[in-house]
């Protein structure tokens, strides 16, 4: 995730977007907004989103539809999602949401302090996860490059461990005698 990644807030009600932005502003993260599922998907696919706060029920593409689509793509499947709903606890929604791998399902009205705590934890954990993935890729490249160097070195003859030992030549070598010049 780029260092300029943002938290994307998605809701079809302008007042809810404003309230969520106000609640998250003290964290100091970049915030983005979208008013539809389609708009949210476009922003997510651009690659600058590190966390999604997503209303479940919106006209057109619902929050659950957005999550289903995101989970099918490698580039977006690990972005944490907090689903927001104003319709109360619903067993079917809860089961579906967590089955899709959302990080949390939050009921409206939202407690700003609790939301900030969840967002900070999930956003920072996601950034650490991506940093570790990047480090693993770099280490694998180093190991692969090192392995190729070792492979090339294995094809060359090894030097004698004691460079002072003369190379034995000629017929006397089998008896341990060194061939001598006969001049």
């Amino acid at each position: 995730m780029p260092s300029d990644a943002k938290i994307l807030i998605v809701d079809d009600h302008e007042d809810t977007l404003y309230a969520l932005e106000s609640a998250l502003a003290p964290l100091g993260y970049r915030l983005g907004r979208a008013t539809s599922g389609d708009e949210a998907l476009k922003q997510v696919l651009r690659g600058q989103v590190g966390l999604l706060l997503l209303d479940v029920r919106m006209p057109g593409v619902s929050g659950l539809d957005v999550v289903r689509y995101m989970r099918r793509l490698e580039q977006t499947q690990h972005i944490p999602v907090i689903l927001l709903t104003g319709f109360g606890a619903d067993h079917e929604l809860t089961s579906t949401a967590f089955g899709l791998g959302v990080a949390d399902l939050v009921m409206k009205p939202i407690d700003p302090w609790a939301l900030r705590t969840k967002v900070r934890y999930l956003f920072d954990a996601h950034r650490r996860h991506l940093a570790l993935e990047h480090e693993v890729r770099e280490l694998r490249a180093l190991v692969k490059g090192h392995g190729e160097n070792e492979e090339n070195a294995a094809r060359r003859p090894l030097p004698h461990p004691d460079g002072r030992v003369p190379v034995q030549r000629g017929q006397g070598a089998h008896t341990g005698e060194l061939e001598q010049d006969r001049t």
Side-chain angles (χ1 to χ4, degrees):
M1 173 172 59
S3 60
D4 61 341
K6 64 186 170 193
I7 296 168
L8 182 61
I9 304 167
V10 185
D11 199 294
D12 56 321
H13 292 88
E14 195 68 34
D15 56 336
T16 303
L17 287 171
Y18 178 76
L20 291 169
E21 287 171 335
S22 297
L24 297 177
L27 294 176
Y29 299 132
R30 276 189 57 225
L31 301 176
R33 59 170 34 206
T35 56
S36 71
D38 285 332
E39 188 181 343
L41 281 172
K42 288 175 186 173
Q43 289 191 46
V44 167
L45 292 173
R46 286 187 200 119
Q48 298 296 312
V49 175
L51 176 74
L52 199 61
L53 268 79
L54 182 62
D55 187 27
V56 173
R57 292 187 175 97
M58 294 182 288
V61 178
S62 74
L64 290 173
D65 292 335
V66 170
V67 176
R68 282 185 189 99
Y69 186 79
M70 288 174 58
R71 295 308 184 231
R72 286 187 290 202
L73 300 176
E74 185 177 345
Q75 75 187 63
T76 60
Q77 65 186 351
H78 297 294
I79 296 173
V81 176
I82 297 175
L83 282 178
L84 309 170
T85 183
F87 292 97
D90 174 344
H91 177 71
E92 186 177 330
L93 171 61
T94 303
S95 177
T96 301
F98 287 112
L100 290 170
V102 302
D104 203 355
L105 178 62
V106 176
M107 305 300 161
K108 297 176 187 176
I110 295 167
D111 174 6
W113 184 87
L115 183 65
R116 281 191 296 270
T117 302
K118 292 174 186 189
V119 165
R120 181 184 305 118
Y121 172 78
L122 289 169
F123 192 68
D124 291 347
H126 185 62
R127 285 197 304 197
R128 285 190 304 272
H129 173 77
L130 292 176
L132 286 172
E133 279 184 346
H134 179 71
E135 190 173 334
V136 165
R137 281 191 302 274
E138 286 179 347
L139 289 171
R140 284 184 178 149
L142 282 173
V143 168
K144 183 179 178 186
H146 183 69
E148 290 170 358
N149 289 341
E150 284 182 356
E151 205 174 280
N152 292 336
R155 293 182 189 140
R156 292 186 302 243
L158 294 174
H160 193 282
D162 186 352
R164 298 171 297 179
V165 175
V167 177
Q168 297 181 357
R169 299 177 274 150
Q171 296 175 331
H174 69 282
T175 61
E177 300 173 16
L178 293 177
E179 186 178 304
Q180 308 216 349
D181 285 349
R182 296 190 179 146
T183 49

